[in-house]
């Protein structure tokens, strides 16, 4: 129970901080935060992405976020600088709420690792 409370508190801090920085205080949703991680991981911050590239950025983020859990492993950067991951272990079937909690936990851990939040 304490773990869930701590995750909720850290998630709220993360959303508030990112929202203030990137959305003029409008509350960012989970998908948008995942997208931001993809842009961060790609490292090409000052460009406009096409629709298919935006989807791939989210894929990059999900792979990076779930890498510490053993589901993905970084393989290489292609000639354009895009990271590629391989599946190490299939994700177990999760309900929508369970997926959301897993991604929030992974995002909180990612931003703590980056020392963006404490």
């Amino acid at each position: 129970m304490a773990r869930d409370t701590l995750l909720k508190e850290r998630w709220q801090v993360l959303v508030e901080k990112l929202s203030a920085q990137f959305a003029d205080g409008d509350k960012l949703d989970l998908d948008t935060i995942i997208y931001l991680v993809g842009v961060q991981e790609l490292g090409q911050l000052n460009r406009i992405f096409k629709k298919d590239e935006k989807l791939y950025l989210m894929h990059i983020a999900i792979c990076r976020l779930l890498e510490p859990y053993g589901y993905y492993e970084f393989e290489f950067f292609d000639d354009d600088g895009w990271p590629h991951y391989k599946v190490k272990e299939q994700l177990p079937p999760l309900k929508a709420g369970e997926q959301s909690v897993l991604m929030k936990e992974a995002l909180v851990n990612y931003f703590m690792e980056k020392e963006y939040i404490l």
Side-chain angles (χ1 to χ4, degrees):
M1 187 69 164
R3 181 175 169 256
D4 292 341
T5 303
L6 186 57
L7 175 60
K8 286 179 185 178
E9 289 171 3
R10 287 179 173 161
W11 175 251
Q12 190 61 37
V13 167
L14 178 61
V15 170
E16 288 174 9
K17 190 168 181 179
L18 288 171
S19 296
Q21 185 173 353
F22 294 103
D24 295 327
D26 291 340
K27 191 173 182 181
L28 297 179
D29 64 11
L30 180 63
D31 288 340
T32 304
I33 296 172
I34 292 171
Y35 172 79
L36 288 174
V37 169
V39 173
Q40 172 71 26
E41 288 298 309
L42 180 61
Q44 299 177 14
L45 306 177
N46 296 318
R47 64 173 277 208
I48 297 173
F49 296 99
K50 298 175 192 167
K51 184 177 181 178
D52 60 328
E53 290 176 321
K54 289 178 181 178
L55 292 174
Y56 192 62
L57 285 168
M58 292 186 76
H59 173 72
I60 290 169
I62 290 167
C63 291
R64 170 57 182 88
L65 292 166
L66 297 180
E67 185 179 25
Y69 295 82
Y71 295 113
Y72 295 95
E73 181 177 49
F74 174 77
E75 276 194 299
F76 64 94
F77 288 101
D78 65 21
D79 293 338
D80 295 321
W82 290 75
H84 291 262
Y85 291 80
K86 69 178 179 181
V87 176
K88 283 183 64 180
E89 183 180 328
Q90 291 295 324
L91 280 164
L94 298 171
K95 297 176 184 169
E98 294 169 328
Q99 287 177 6
S100 178
V101 169
L102 175 61
M103 292 312 300
K104 287 177 180 179
E105 180 181 289
L107 282 160
V108 164
N109 290 337
Y110 174 85
F111 282 100
M112 288 178 68
E113 174 188 310
K114 301 288 183 188
E115 298 181 354
Y116 185 76
I117 61 171
L118 302 177

